[in-house]
């Protein structure tokens, strides 16, 4: 990841998957703080996207979520990658 950190907000329905990812990073010996789970509301995630320390946003989800995230990221001139509408 060459100096970048990862902030990840999983769907509310899979909190155990989020915790499993954190364990994998820890077990692999990743430095503290390289991976952080975000357990946040949609409104709170919007504030994270707007934070100037956040350089890019990636989403895999619904078209509705993609439109909202893309719009917010675009307004804040962030790099964005969207994987939307997949089952």
């Amino acid at each position: 990841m060459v100096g970048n950190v990862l902030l990840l907000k999983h769907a509310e329905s899979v909190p155990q998957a989020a915790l499993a990812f954190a364990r994998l990073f820890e077990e692999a010996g990743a430095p503290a703080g390289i991976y952080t789970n975000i357990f946040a509301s949609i409104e709170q995630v919007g504030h994270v996207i707007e934070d100037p320390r956040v350089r890019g946003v990636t989403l895999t989800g619904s078209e509705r979520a993609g439109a909202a995230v893309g719009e917010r990221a675009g307004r804040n001139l962030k790099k964005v990658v969207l994987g939307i509408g997949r089952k």
Side-chain angles (χ1 to χ4, degrees), residues 3 5 8 10 16 19 22-23 30 33 35 44 58 67 74 80:
V5 298
L8 189 60
H10 286 270
Q16 293 302 317
L19 298 173
R23 278 192 304 275
Y35 174 88
Q44 290 168 323
T58 300
V80 63

Side-chain angles (χ1 to χ4, degrees), residues 5-43:
V5 298
L6 178 64
L7 305 174
L8 189 60
K9 190 236 180 258
H10 286 270
E12 292 84 8
S13 60
V14 292
Q16 293 302 317
L19 298 173
F21 268 92
R23 278 192 304 275
L24 288 172
F25 274 87
E26 184 180 327
E27 290 170 5
I34 200 87
Y35 174 88
T36 302
N37 283 316
I38 299 175
F39 297 99
S41 69
I42 292 170
E43 182 179 329

Side-chain angles (χ1 to χ4, degrees), residues 2 4 6 8 16-17 23 37 43 46 48 53 56 60 70 72 75-76 78-79 81 84-86:
V2 192
N4 295 319
L6 178 64
L8 189 60
Q16 293 302 317
R23 278 192 304 275
N37 283 316
E43 182 179 329
V48 171
R53 295 170 292 179
T60 301
R72 198 148 203 174
R75 264 192 290 131
N76 291 276
K78 308 288 174 129
K79 295 177 184 177
V81 176
I84 57 173
R86 298 184 184 148

